Structures are given as C-alpha cells and as structure tokens.
Amino acid sequence: MIPFLSLKDISESFQPEMDEAIAKVVHSGWYIHGAEVSAFEEEFAAFCGARNCIGVANGLDALVLILRAYLEMGKLHAGDEVVVPANTYIASILAISANGLSPVLVEPDPRTFTIDPARIEASLTARTKAIMPVHLYGQVAEMEPILALAFRRGLLVIEDSAQSHGALYHGMRAGSIGDASGFSFYPGKNLGALGDAGAITTNDDGLAECARSLANYGSREKYVNDFKGTNSRLDDIQAAVLRVKLRRLDADNDRRRRIAERYLAGMKNPSVETPQDLDKLRHVWHLFVVRSKKRDALQAHLLAKGIQTIIHYPIPPHRQKAYSEWTDREYPITEAIHEEVVSLPMSPLLSDAQIDAVISAVNSFRADTQ
C-alpha cells in the first residue's frame, strides 16, 4: 500500500536531530515561553519575510487571535463582515464566527481552488471590513487584485496560510503579503509539529503586541491583565521540532514540486482532471488534488491498486450542520468541487517507483465502465 502520507516516515527522516532537540528542551527544565519558542519565532518570521511571529497553540487560534486583536484595536467591530472562500476548510470560517463577525462566502476560481478575485467586489457591503484569502492546498491565492481592491476600499487582508508554508507570490512568501497571516503546524502540514501548533505572522507591530498578549491570558506583564485573553501558546518542545524541520522546508517543498511535475506530465486520463499550476513558485503542493465526476469509483479503483487517497473535503461549509442557517444557499462551483475532488499521495519521501505506480493507477481508471 502506498500511503497518502506516512507521518512516522516523515518523523524518522529527521532523526537524530529531532530527538536531540527534544532532549535539549526536556533537560533545560523550561517548557513554556522559553528559548526554543523565541528562536523559532525569530527564524520563522525571517523565513516568511515578516517582522513578527507569535507562536500559538494551533492554526485556528492563530486566525481567531488575529481577528480578536483587530477587534481590541478598534479596526474591527462586532457584526463586521469578512469575505472568505466558500470552499475553504471550515476553520477559516469558524475563526470569523468565533469573534462575532459575519462570514461572507465567495466562490473560488475552479482552476486554482483559491478565492476568485473577480467575484469579491460584488460581495462587498458597507459592513465589509476584511478579506481572508485562503492559500488552499499549498497555492497562494491571486493576491495582487485582492490587495488592490482592499486598498481602494480600506479593507484588512488576513491570509490563511495554514497549507502554504514557503509558497511564493511575486517574490513574497505566504505570511508576508497581507496585513497578518495565520499558520497551522498540524503534523501533516509541509511544516508540521508533533501535535497541534500554530503561528501568527505580521509586519504590524501593534497587532503583534496585542495578539501576543491575548494569547497569554491578555497579559503583557505577569499577573497584569489588560484584556480578557485566552491561553494559546506554542510550547518549547514543539518549537524545537519545528526549528529542526524548518531548516529542510525549502528542500522538501522543491521535492514536492518535482513530484507534482511528474504527476502532471504523466497523468493522461481524460476522466481525471489534474490541477493547474499557474505559477510554479506559488505552489508548495501541500496536497495534490484531482477531480473526477466518478470520484467514488476512482477512489475505489485506486484503493484496489494499493493507493491510499483522502477527500479534502467531502462536505462544504455551507452544508454543515454547524452553519444550518446557510443550507438554503447555493454555491455551485464549491459544491462541484466538494463532490469531485480526491487527494493523491503527496510527500517529499515518495520514491520514483511509488510516483510511477500512482500515475499508472490513475491512467488505468476507466470511468465509462463504472
């Protein structure tokens, strides 16, 4: 069986450096807000090209805290609208709702799966105060027109970079393009921890200070609480692991690009639509997602051939029970995507033989016999 992603193999590929980094933290006796967190924040900020990085507990918290900080700073107010792609993972939308803000769903560009800039302006109202483009599957959204629109209308731009560590847009890294960005270091991400972890990056020093305080019980100074904050902190063991993995991230992303190029060149099945890589540097191929109108049959065929796949994501946000108030809405592009997509194995550790086996299995699928 070719796994969709083997986290065990990924972890073993970083030995013995990872074990040494963890042991160093354990023997230091300092596990929260220690030297490893400070070092990772500095290194990841430099990697992204941002002035500030704040380590937090997970990717959802990163987005929640960005929005909460803007509320505390008076740049957002309860009930304000935030534009977000309709086909995103639900965490992007949950962060908006959690802050008493109103998500406004906009359809994606079906070529890239990222939010369609041409559709954003029609969704804006007097209450719209921010746009949250999601760099889905590892590809940076088309940011230039989004930034231009935001500038004209005085809107904040908050990147959801949970799947795009290291991706580039016109020479800028994901996480340094908008006003602020939220990252997830969930274990399966291109830069993954050994548990939940996340970060905020921003060039706005005021936002950074406010978000850092909010994540630490609303406190800038111990036992002095300026805000009704929360506890969302990156711990030193996870930071130490991330520092080890960060050193190899560009090389691993390059390997993902080479695998994607092999997939794109080799898959010639008219019933399986491969993704469009409009700009090679924009994509770090967190996921390699294909589409088929016979998705379930394709997935069963691949499993029979020893290829493990996953669906990202089977149910769109507006069809989830959590947002039952939206069930009468229709987003046909989003709905088609969620009904047709399937993610193929993607890992920097895939061998050439495994890549060839995936290509062969996809090409041998016959939709007309299903």
Side-chain angles (χ1 to χ4, degrees):
M1 176 69 70
I2 298 175
F4 170 74
L5 176 67
S6 172
L7 295 179
K8 178 176 180 291
D9 290 345
I10 293 287
S11 292
E12 288 179 350
S13 76
F14 286 97
Q15 300 298 341
E17 294 90 344
M18 196 159 68
D19 280 350
E20 292 171 356
I22 293 171
K24 179 182 175 183
V25 175
V26 172
H27 291 301
S28 76
W30 195 303
Y31 310 126
I32 299 290
H33 281 175
E36 291 295 326
V37 170
S38 296
F40 173 72
E41 289 177 340
E42 182 177 336
E43 291 163 5
F44 192 64
F47 175 83
C48 293
R51 278 205 306 272
N52 303 282
C53 172
I54 303 95
V56 297
N58 55 69
L60 174 57
D61 279 6
L63 295 175
V64 168
L65 286 163
I66 290 169
L67 294 168
R68 172 76 188 281
Y70 279 133
L71 284 162
E72 294 288 354
M73 296 165 69
K75 293 189 176 183
L76 290 175
H77 299 87
D80 283 348
E81 295 175 347
V82 180
V83 172
V84 65
N87 64 314
T88 185
Y89 180 58
I90 199 169
S92 314
I93 298 170
L94 290 172
I96 299 168
S97 299
N99 279 288
L101 301 167
S102 298
V104 176
L105 307 188
V106 171
E107 291 266 58
D109 182 336
R111 300 172 303 164
T112 64
F113 300 110
T114 60
I115 193 167
D116 187 345
R119 296 175 180 270
I120 295 177
E121 190 154 17
S123 73
L124 303 183
T125 73
R127 295 172 57 203
T128 308
K129 301 301 179 183
I131 304 171
M132 184 183 287
V134 179
H135 307 323
L136 199 65
Y137 304 153
Q139 181 161 234
V140 178
E142 188 59 75
M143 294 297 292
E144 193 169 56
I146 293 173
L147 292 170
L149 174 61
F151 180 77
R152 291 199 312 271
R153 300 291 292 263
L155 308 177
L156 296 165
V157 177
I158 301 159
E159 299 173 75
D160 182 339
S161 301
Q163 300 184 8
S164 61
H165 317 72
L168 287 162
Y169 183 82
H170 295 181
M172 296 179 292
R173 298 266 197 191
S176 68
I177 306 168
D179 294 290
S181 179
F183 283 90
S184 166
F185 303 123
Y186 183 78
K189 299 297 171 67
N190 292 34
L191 180 62
L194 294 184
D196 275 323
I200 296 165
T201 57
T202 182
N203 290 319
D204 183 335
D205 297 337
L207 173 70
E209 182 182 7
C210 186
R212 187 180 295 280
S213 174
L214 286 166
N216 187 38
Y217 299 100
S219 175
R220 296 184 177 94
E221 178 185 348
K222 195 168 185 178
Y223 303 131
V224 178
N225 303 85
D226 300 314
F227 306 105
K228 297 173 183 175
T230 187
N231 175 10
S232 180
R233 300 179 295 202
L234 176 67
D235 70 71
D236 278 65
I237 286 180
Q238 298 299 349
V241 168
L242 291 168
R243 290 185 70 201
V244 171
K245 290 188 170 187
L246 181 59
R247 294 195 286 268
R248 208 177 80 190
L249 180 56
D250 276 336
D252 282 349
N253 283 343
D254 285 341
R255 174 60 179 165
R256 288 173 179 270
R257 290 186 180 107
R258 290 195 295 273
I259 293 167
E261 287 172 3
R262 291 270 306 275
Y263 277 168
L264 291 167
M267 292 179 186
K268 304 296 182 183
N269 191 327
S271 64
V272 179
E273 180 182 338
T274 55
Q276 295 188 36
D277 183 14
L278 303 182
D279 179 338
K280 291 182 180 179
L281 292 178
R282 273 173 61 186
H283 215 317
V284 290
W285 299 102
H286 170 58
L287 300 172
F288 190 93
V289 180
V290 300
R291 296 179 66 174
S292 175
K293 295 187 182 303
K294 297 282 188 176
R295 190 261 309 278
D296 293 346
L298 172 62
Q299 192 173 34
H301 169 82
L302 293 175
L303 183 60
K305 294 287 186 180
I307 312 295
Q308 184 186 41
T309 60
I310 294 180
I311 297 172
H312 295 90
Y313 303 96
I315 305 173
H318 70 284
R319 295 291 187 228
Q320 297 283 0
K321 183 178 179 182
Y323 289 100
S324 57
E325 66 270 26
W326 293 345
T327 54
D328 61 341
R329 298 187 187 181
E330 294 185 358
Y331 299 96
I333 297 173
T334 291
E335 289 158 17
I337 287 171
H338 284 261
E339 290 169 1
E340 297 174 5
V341 293
V342 60
S343 301
L344 303 182
M346 174 53 76
S347 162
L349 302 183
L350 282 176
S351 68
D352 289 345
Q354 288 175 317
I355 296 165
D356 289 340
V358 174
I359 293 170
S360 177
V362 169
N363 286 341
S364 66
F365 174 65
R366 294 292 176 264
D368 54 1
T369 64
Q370 302 301 320

